[in-house]
Amino acid sequence: MLAVAFMASFVNASLVLLWHKSIPVLASYILEPFAFASVFVYTYFNHTRTRSSSTVLLLFWPLYIVAIAVWCRTLLTKQVHLDSTLFILKLVTLVTGVISYVLECMGTELGLPPSDKLYQENPELTANVYSIWVWSLLLFLYLCV
């Protein structure tokens, strides 16, 4: 999935540069492939070395989705004419990012075979940032009541 997002953002940046499109923030198109390349590498190292989802990636994807939503809103309000190819490539990047976010939320142990050790280990080893926040909030509410 991340390879598709990287390729779509790379092709998008290449087309913007080759077609000499007047884009309000050209740096975002140029930096996006570098961001996805680093996310690809970071995801690989996280999933091969840890038992929990990456906090950085779980916070990156919602922020990226919000940034794309702001980009779409700006595009619509300013009535900037953007080639449909560039818009479709940006949409492909967004969809693959959402899929990667959902897979990251499921955890790194998704494809592991069931074993007795897996079910006996400490839940904090496989907890992600959202589950830690939820449990902390529930504990706080329980102590307040």
Side-chain angles (χ1 to χ4, degrees):
M1 278 295 142
L2 291 174
V4 172
F6 170 74
M7 289 305 296
S9 65
F10 181 76
V11 169
N12 203 3
S14 300
L15 290 177
V16 165
L17 292 174
L18 288 175
W19 290 346
H20 301 291
K21 289 285 185 182
S22 62
I23 303 295
V25 183
L26 182 62
S28 66
Y29 284 89
I30 295 171
L31 292 176
E32 191 177 51
F34 292 111
F36 283 120
S38 63
V39 164
F40 182 75
V41 171
Y42 189 70
T43 301
Y44 172 76
F45 284 125
N46 184 61
H47 285 259
T48 57
R49 290 180 171 81
T50 64
R51 304 270 310 154
S52 65
S53 300
S54 171
T55 301
V56 172
L57 295 175
L58 288 176
L59 296 176
F60 169 78
W61 288 117
L63 291 174
Y64 180 76
I65 292 167
V66 167
I68 292 295
V70 169
W71 177 81
C72 285
R73 182 183 173 274
T74 305
L75 201 66
L76 293 174
T77 58
K78 296 293 182 181
Q79 297 178 355
V80 176
H81 177 68
L82 186 67
D83 193 52
S84 61
T85 307
L86 299 177
F87 187 75
I88 290 171
L89 287 171
K90 190 67 94 168
L91 187 64
V92 166
T93 306
L94 176 68
V95 168
T96 54
V98 169
I99 293 170
S100 297
Y101 174 67
V102 169
L103 291 175
E104 190 71 28
C105 283
M106 288 182 186
T108 59
E109 68 277 350
L110 182 64
L112 295 177
S115 68
D116 293 335
K117 182 182 177 188
L118 183 66
Y119 297 114
Q120 293 175 355
E121 69 184 2
N122 190 349
E124 289 182 6
L125 292 176
T126 58
N128 63 23
V129 67
Y130 298 132
S131 59
I132 293 170
W133 285 349
V134 168
W135 284 112
S136 300
L137 180 65
L138 289 175
L139 180 65
F140 175 73
L141 291 175
Y142 176 75
L143 293 175
C144 288
V145 174

